[in-house]
Amino acid sequence: MILEITKRSMIGIAFGGIFTFIALTIMKLNNLESTVSEIWMHMGASMLLGIYYGLSSYIFSDGEGSYLKQTIIHFCLSLTVYFIIAFTVGWVPLNWLAALLSFIIFVTIYSFVWFGYYSYYKKVESSMNEHLNKK
């Protein structure tokens, strides 16, 4: 259990580092400057989000409740964690229009990822059923 938590956290940190590198590359290509403390703060926030998303899949692994209930819990928790971090580090300004736009973008990305996973697992399910029906 501890090994799995460590592994998922490290994967989350790696993804946070990759996103930070992408942001820094965009900044470099556009000749934008930033302070070390600002980069440190944003990288830390990115890594925290990565750790959360690495660990949040445990919601689906316990088998408690329906898939819909687990998805709703995951969505609400993800939205809460994202907005706490995004407001704290300044990714989203503290005004209703920016928060609404960020919410819409979050829901859109979450929906694309959800439908992608759903489609993939439905395809795997039908493939397995076809294989079992042949036997």
Side-chain angles (χ1 to χ4, degrees), residues 114-126:
W114 187 88
F115 280 114
Y117 274 106
Y118 182 79
S119 299
Y120 170 75
Y121 285 117
K122 276 296 184 186
K123 187 181 244 186
V124 168
E125 176 186 26
S126 66

Side-chain angles (χ1 to χ4, degrees), residues 73-120:
I73 290 169
H74 183 266
F75 174 78
C76 292
L77 197 57
S78 296
L79 193 64
T80 302
V81 169
Y82 167 72
F83 273 114
I84 288 171
I85 291 173
F87 285 137
T88 301
V89 298
W91 292 344
V92 178
L94 289 172
N95 67 56
W96 69 271
L97 187 60
L100 179 64
L101 182 61
S102 182
F103 175 78
I104 290 168
I105 291 169
F106 183 92
V107 170
T108 302
I109 292 170
Y110 191 94
S111 298
F112 279 127
V113 171
W114 187 88
F115 280 114
Y117 274 106
Y118 182 79
S119 299
Y120 170 75

Side-chain angles (χ1 to χ4, degrees), residues 8-22 46-47 50-51:
R8 289 180 186 213
S9 296
M10 290 298 149
I11 291 171
I13 288 171
F15 274 104
I18 290 168
F19 284 119
T20 301
F21 181 75
I22 291 169
S46 181
M47 288 179 172
I51 291 170

Side-chain angles (χ1 to χ4, degrees), residues 35-74:
T35 64
V36 172
S37 63
E38 191 173 345
I39 292 171
W40 180 84
M41 178 181 62
H42 292 290
M43 188 170 189
S46 181
M47 288 179 172
L48 279 175
L49 271 179
I51 291 170
Y52 165 73
Y53 283 109
L55 295 175
S56 67
S57 60
Y58 274 121
I59 293 170
F60 297 102
S61 65
D62 66 0
E64 292 288 320
S66 69
Y67 185 64
L68 178 62
K69 180 180 174 184
Q70 291 171 343
T71 302
I72 290 170
I73 290 169
H74 183 266

